[in-house]
Amino acid sequence: MSDCIFCMLANGAIPTAKLYEDEHFAVILDANPASKGHALILPKEHHANLFEMPDELAAEAFILAKKIASRMKDALKCDGFNIVQNNGEAAGQTVFHFHIHIIPRYEGSERIVAWKPGTLTDDLRSEILEKFQSAE
Ligand code: AMP
Ligand code: ZN
């Protein structure tokens, strides 16, 4: 897609801080990092989100996320990772080209992936199980 910023970054049309590249992916540093080392796994081909990714490419992307995180751990001596992958505006996706966030975490830093825990009531559990099973 010619007007997609991540297509341009992944394919070298715009210079960026590239950590890694192979035939299918580029891994770049996020321009607005949530922590030191925050990186993005970008497929070179345009797919808007996880649902539009071919299965094999999606599998490759998550294997690559593991590889990049392992190397980042050695390089930056971080203590953990948040691996985040947003799909859809409702989930906070702002760039509609599939990407995986690799966010190194350091002891003592604040939680950034957090939610207010709800309650799984009996009614809710039955409703979800029923709807999920009939959506097969
Ligand atoms: P999301 O909210 O999951 O769609 O995340 C989009 C991410 O892309 C954000 O963390 C942005 O900081 C990052 N981003 C947007 N434009 C650029 C850019 N030109 N170079 C690097 N990262 C970018
Ligand atoms: Zn794109």
Side-chain angles (χ1 to χ4, degrees):
M1 259 179 57
S2 58
D3 59 348
C4 170
I5 182 80
F6 280 4
C7 279
M8 291 187 245
L9 291 166
N11 292 286
I14 300 177
T16 187
K18 201 174 279 180
L19 293 173
Y20 171 92
E21 184 170 22
D22 64 23
E23 191 190 344
H24 296 134
F25 296 95
V27 182
I28 68 166
L29 288 178
D30 195 294
N32 309 104
S35 73
K36 180 176 158 189
H38 182 170
L40 299 169
I41 309 250
L42 308 178
K44 291 185 173 178
E45 231 174 60
H46 183 86
H47 301 285
N49 54 43
L50 183 61
F51 305 106
E52 294 192 9
M53 283 277 277
D55 287 357
E56 279 176 20
L57 197 63
E60 244 188 89
F62 283 95
I63 291 167
L64 181 57
K66 180 183 174 190
K67 187 167 152 180
I68 296 297
S70 304
R71 188 156 157 195
M72 191 73 89
K73 193 170 190 311
D74 291 343
L76 298 184
K77 312 290 178 223
C78 52
D79 303 300
F81 281 93
N82 292 123
I83 308 290
V84 177
Q85 202 277 303
N86 298 326
N87 294 283
E89 212 173 328
Q93 186 177 6
T94 58
V95 180
F96 296 92
H97 173 126
F98 174 94
H99 52 281
I100 302 176
H101 294 263
I102 310 286
I103 308 176
R105 304 311 317 278
Y106 301 89
E107 289 298 348
S109 59
E110 69 183 287
R111 247 179 106 172
I112 54 171
V113 179
W115 56 87
K116 188 166 161 264
T119 303
L120 183 62
T121 61
D122 291 347
D123 283 354
L124 200 50
R125 182 173 49 236
S126 308
E127 180 195 335
I128 297 163
L129 291 177
E130 196 181 303
K131 285 184 172 165
F132 186 79
Q133 274 144 17
S134 60
E136 197 185 325

